[in-house]
Amino acid sequence: MSALPQPSPRRPIRELPDELISQIAAGEVVERPASVVRELVDNALDAGATEITVRLVAGGVRAILVEDDGIGIPADELPMALKRHATSKIASLAELEAVSTMGFRGEALAAIASVAEVAVLSRTAGADHAWRLDARSGELAPAARGVGTSVEVRELFFSTPARRKFLKTDATELAHCIEAVRRHALARPDVAFAVWHEGRLVEQWRRASFEQRVRDVLGADFMEGAREVQARVGPLALSGYAGVPEAARSRADQQYFYVNGRYVRDKLLAHGVRAAYEDVLHGARQPVYLLRLDIAPDRVDVNVHPTKIEVRFRDAREVHQAVRHAVEAALAQPHTQAAAAPAGPVAQPTASTGAQPATATQTGTETAWVSGGGRSFSAPPVVREPVAAFGAQLQGRLAWQEALALHAAEPGAAWPRRLEVPAAQADTPCAAADEPRPDWPLGRAIAQLGGVYILAENAHGLVIVDMHAAHERIVYERLKRLLAEQRIEAQPLLIPATFAATPAEIATAESAREALLTLGLDVSPLGPGTLAVRSRPAALAQADVVELARSVLAELAHYDASHVIERAQHELLATMACHGAVRAHRRLTLEEMNALLREMERTERADQCNHGRPTWRQLTLKELDGLFLRGR
Ligand code: ADP
Ligand code: MG
C-alpha cells in the first residue's frame, strides 16, 4: 500500500471558463449578504437615485431586493449589465483616472449572478413599461414598475455550500447589511434610505442636511460629543466630526472615513486620525469620528482593492498630515468658548473690541452634567465663532494674563504660589465683588472641595474642576511647547539630590544622558549604586526631583537611546507633567485657584487630562433648580 500521493499528470495551460472567472471575482467582491447590499446600493447611487429601498429575507441570505428611482437600464442593455467587465461608467484609462462614480469595474452584477439567483427589473424614462431579465435563464420579459431599477438576489451561495457555511446567524448578517446601508446613508444625506427585514421596517432615513443625517444615523449621543472638523489644505478638503476623547469607545465601531464620498477603511487615514488623539486619548480607547476627505480624483487611486475599500494616495504624507492637523485643530478648539456663551444678556462684548456676542442656544442644558467638550459642540454657532473673536473678548484682561504668563514662565514658578494682581487691576472683582465675572468662561473660584475639586461660579452656574487633572494638562502642554522650541530650561539644584539606584537605572541614566539633559534633568552616577540629580526642569519646580528622575528613567528604559524623545515624547512629557502637577489635598488659596482657571482658559485641549478624562464640568443654575424642584 503506497501512502504517497501520486503526482497528477500535467495539464495544459488553458483559459478559465467565464463562469469560473466570475466565481473567483465573486470571492473578492461578495463575502456575505452585506457585500451584495453595498454593491447594489452603489449602483443605485451611480444611477442618480434619490430614494433607495432595501428588502431582506433571513438577514439577506435568502433574498436581497434593492429598488431605486434612478435612470434605469434600457432593455437592450440589460444582458450586458450582467456581463463581466461590462460597465457604462468608464470607457478609457483616462476616465479611470478621473472616475467619480462608486462603481467602474463592471464586475459586481456578474459576480453576484455567479453565486446567487439574480433578476434585474428596470425601466428608463422613455420606455412604456419595465423589462425583467432573469440572469440564469437569460429570459427577458415585460414587467411593471416605475422608472428605476430593482435587483433581486436570491439564495446567496446556493451553489457553493462550503461558502454558505461561513455565514453567521441571520441576525448577524442583518446587522452587517444595515451597517452597509448606514455607511452609504452617512455619505449621501440627499438620498432617502429604507431597510425592511421580512416585512418589517428596520431603518429609515429621510432626506436631510448633513448634520441632521449624522444625528439620525449615529444618534444624538454621537453629536453631543463631537467637534466639527473643517479644513482646507492645498488640494485637500476635510470636513465632518471628530468625537471628544470622552466620547471614545472600547471598540472601533464608530469610525467612518469617506474619500470623495466613498467609504474606506484605510490604514494611512486611520493612523492620521489616531495621531491627532495621541495627546488626549489612552491607547486602548477608540475615538469616534465621521470624516470626509475630498481630493482631486487624479490624486487618489481607488482601484487598488476589488471592493475599493482601500485607496492609494499620490501624496500619502500630505494626506496624513492634513488629516492629523484638521482633527487636532478641531479637538484643540478653546474649550471654554461654549461656557463663555451667555445664557442671558450678561456677557455683552466690550464695545471697543467689536466682537460679536456669541448667540448659542444652550441645547445641552437639558442634560445634567454636560461636560465642557460636549457642550461646546451642542452649541454649534459658538463653535464656529472664530478663535480670534474669542481672543478679542479676552482683551480687556490681557494685562492681567500677561502678568500671569510671565509669572508662570519664571523658574520655580510653574505653579504660582501667590499671584500678584497688578495695581491697575486691583479692583477686579476677583477677590472683592460678589457678582460672578461672566466673561471668565470658567468663572471665579469660590472654594476647594475634598482637597480634589475647585468650585467656581460663572454666568451659567457652578463649575467643578478636577485640579490635578487640569493642572497636569496645563503642565503637559507647556512642556510640549518648550520641548518643541528646544528650551526646556534646566534649573541647577544648590545641593544635588542623591538616591540609591538600581543597576538598570544607572545604565539608563548613562545611555540616555542626552535625552535627560534635553528634558532638563541632569542625572549622573555618584559612586556605586547611587545617582545624583543636579538639575531639574525649571518648569517643574513643584516636583519631587527624586521621584521625577526615577519615573523618567523608568520610562526611558522602555526605549533605545536613539531618538527616544521623538518616539516617546507623549509618555515622557505625561510622566513629567504628572509629577509637576499640583497634588490632591494641597490647600489652594482663592488666588491660586483663579490662576489655575485662567491658565486652563488659555491652554489648548484643557478639557481633558492627558488620559482623556474630563478636567471640568458645568452644572447650570437650571440644573441646580431642577435638583431642588424650584419653579415647578
Ligand atoms: P459597475 O458599477 O462597476 O459599472 P456593475 O456590475 O455593478 O458594474 O454594473 C454594471 C452596469 O449595469 C453599470 O455600469 C450600469 O450601467 C448598470 N447598472 C447596474 N445597476 C444599475 C442601477 N441600479 N441603475 C442603473 N444602471 C445600473
Ligand atoms: Mg457597481
Side-chain angles (χ1 to χ4, degrees):
M1 264 202 316
S2 155
L4 288 175
Q6 294 297 309
S8 39
R10 184 179 181 282
R11 288 193 285 185
I13 299 170
R14 287 215 189 91
E15 274 187 312
L16 286 174
D18 258 1
E19 171 76 6
L20 194 51
I21 297 178
S22 295
Q23 289 203 356
I24 292 170
E28 295 168 355
V29 180
V30 187
E31 187 197 344
R32 60 192 337 161
S35 343
V36 174
V37 171
R38 182 194 58 226
E39 293 293 340
L40 297 184
V41 174
D42 268 359
N43 281 348
L45 291 171
D46 283 346
T50 63
E51 243 182 83
I52 298 174
T53 306
V54 179
R55 296 177 201 275
L56 305 162
V57 178
V61 181
R62 305 303 304 273
I64 298 166
L65 174 64
V66 175
E67 302 166 330
D68 68 54
D69 60 350
I71 53 171
I73 308 170
D76 58 339
E77 286 185 27
L78 272 176
M80 212 46 184
L82 289 159
K83 280 238 165 71
R84 276 191 82 228
H85 305 312
T87 178
S88 60
K89 297 166 195 173
I90 54 167
S92 67
L93 187 61
E95 280 179 28
L96 174 61
E97 277 166 8
V99 70
S100 63
T101 48
M102 305 296 285
F104 53 82
R105 295 165 63 103
E107 210 161 59
L109 285 183
I112 296 166
S114 75
V115 290
E117 290 168 16
V118 171
V120 184
L121 215 153
S122 195
R123 178 173 171 183
T124 53
D128 317 336
H129 59 81
W131 291 89
R132 180 178 194 274
L133 174 69
D134 183 308
R136 191 135 299 252
S137 66
E139 188 189 335
L140 191 63
R145 72 149 288 160
V147 172
T149 303
S150 312
V151 180
E152 302 166 18
V153 177
R154 289 183 201 280
E155 303 298 342
L156 189 60
F157 302 141
F158 68 97
S159 60
T160 49
R163 298 199 48 199
R164 194 156 180 158
K165 269 198 218 113
F166 278 101
L167 296 177
K168 301 282 189 311
T169 62
D170 290 357
T172 302
E173 295 303 334
L174 173 63
H176 284 285
C177 289
I178 294 174
E179 179 64 18
V181 182
R182 196 191 308 270
R183 288 174 187 170
H184 281 108
L186 286 168
R188 294 296 302 272
D190 55 324
V191 176
F193 293 86
V195 183
W196 296 77
H197 189 240
E198 301 183 355
R200 202 167 51 87
L201 182 64
V202 288
E203 287 289 3
Q204 181 171 36
W205 296 299
R206 297 171 201 290
R207 277 187 281 277
S209 66
F210 176 53
E211 187 189 329
Q212 186 58 43
R213 174 58 65 84
V214 175
R215 198 178 286 279
D216 292 345
V217 176
L218 296 179
D221 281 1
F222 176 89
M223 275 310 211
E224 284 303 324
R227 296 282 177 86
E228 192 171 3
V229 176
Q230 272 306 348
R232 181 167 276 285
V233 188
L236 313 174
L238 266 150
S239 58
Y241 298 100
V244 295
E246 290 162 66
R249 299 159 73 90
S250 54
R251 292 176 44 209
D253 56 352
Q254 285 201 352
Q255 301 183 343
Y256 295 91
F257 212 116
Y258 295 85
V259 175
N260 292 344
R262 177 180 277 116
Y263 174 86
V264 297
R265 273 221 174 270
D266 188 85
K267 286 209 183 69
L268 174 88
L269 298 173
H271 189 271
V273 179
R274 185 74 224 189
Y277 282 91
E278 189 179 48
D279 282 354
V280 287
L281 199 59
H282 209 273
R285 304 286 291 164
Q286 295 290 342
V288 302
Y289 54 83
L290 188 165
L291 295 167
R292 307 196 291 194
L293 171 66
D294 287 290
I295 178 170
D298 64 341
R299 301 180 79 93
V300 55
D301 186 357
V302 289
N303 194 23
V304 291
H305 192 273
T307 65
K308 312 169 209 95
I309 194 140
E310 287 166 19
V311 290
R312 192 175 297 138
F313 295 100
R314 196 155 71 171
D315 193 342
R317 207 183 134 76
E318 177 188 54
V319 171
H320 185 273
Q321 298 267 37
V323 169
R324 176 183 182 151
H325 290 150
V327 175
E328 263 174 5
L331 296 176
Q333 283 172 44
H335 62 297
T336 42
Q337 283 187 33
V346 271
Q348 290 307 320
T350 46
S352 59
T353 65
Q356 289 300 304
T359 52
T361 45
Q362 293 285 325
T363 51
T365 44
E366 307 307 278
T367 336
W369 299 99
V370 180
S371 80
R375 178 174 301 277
S376 57
F377 186 74
S378 59
V382 182
V383 174
R384 282 189 209 97
E385 197 78 16
V387 176
F390 180 63
Q393 288 187 15
L394 291 175
Q395 286 262 310
R397 295 178 310 285
L398 258 188
W400 196 80
Q401 289 187 334
E402 268 159 13
L404 174 59
L406 287 176
H407 190 87
E410 268 166 40
W415 181 249
R417 295 216 151 253
R418 257 204 97 71
L419 191 80
E420 268 130 18
V421 178
Q425 307 259 330
D427 60 347
T428 47
C430 156
D434 290 320
E435 283 197 4
R437 287 281 311 242
D439 44 358
W440 283 346
L442 291 174
R444 176 178 66 98
I446 47 183
Q448 191 178 7
L449 183 69
V452 175
Y453 300 107
I454 293 170
L455 306 184
E457 181 183 6
N458 71 358
H460 303 299
L462 182 64
V463 171
I464 304 166
V465 175
D466 177 334
M467 64 184 206
H468 175 73
H471 195 221
E472 205 177 35
R473 164 60 68 182
I474 290 169
V475 175
Y476 176 87
E477 290 293 332
R478 186 185 301 147
L479 287 171
K480 193 167 118 180
R481 218 169 40 240
L482 291 172
L483 183 61
E485 294 162 12
Q486 294 280 316
R487 51 176 200 92
I488 294 189
E489 207 180 315
Q491 182 186 23
L493 298 176
L494 282 181
I495 305 163
T498 58
F499 63 99
T502 65
E505 285 171 332
I506 294 173
T508 308
E510 286 177 332
S511 66
R513 180 154 179 81
E514 279 302 305
L516 286 162
L517 289 174
T518 310
L519 296 172
L521 276 166
D522 179 348
V523 187
S524 52
L526 184 87
T530 306
L531 281 174
V533 188
R534 293 168 205 279
S535 81
R536 64 157 150 215
L540 300 184
Q542 284 257 313
D544 175 315
V545 275
V546 171
E547 276 180 42
L548 173 68
R550 278 213 162 108
S551 302
V552 172
L553 286 172
E555 200 57 60
L556 286 170
H558 297 314
Y559 301 89
D560 286 345
S562 62
H563 305 296
V564 60
I565 301 248
E566 291 91 82
R567 283 182 295 123
Q569 173 178 334
H570 174 65
E571 291 79 0
L572 285 167
L573 295 187
T575 300
M576 292 169 71
C578 182
H579 284 279
V582 61
R583 301 268 141 193
H585 304 298
R586 212 196 109 199
R587 286 272 142 217
L588 300 183
T589 65
L590 281 178
E591 283 93 339
E592 285 174 321
M593 292 187 233
N594 275 317
L596 176 63
L597 297 178
R598 302 295 79 79
E599 275 225 65
M600 285 175 70
E601 286 159 3
R602 293 187 296 119
T603 300
E604 282 194 352
R605 292 178 278 266
D607 283 357
Q608 293 95 24
C609 76
N610 301 326
H611 314 289
R613 290 189 295 272
T615 55
W616 67 282
R617 298 267 171 170
Q618 171 90 60
L619 191 56
T620 65
L621 285 172
K622 197 170 159 204
E623 286 155 358
L624 286 167
D625 288 348
L627 287 178
F628 294 96
L629 311 177
R630 278 177 70 114
R632 299 216 172 154

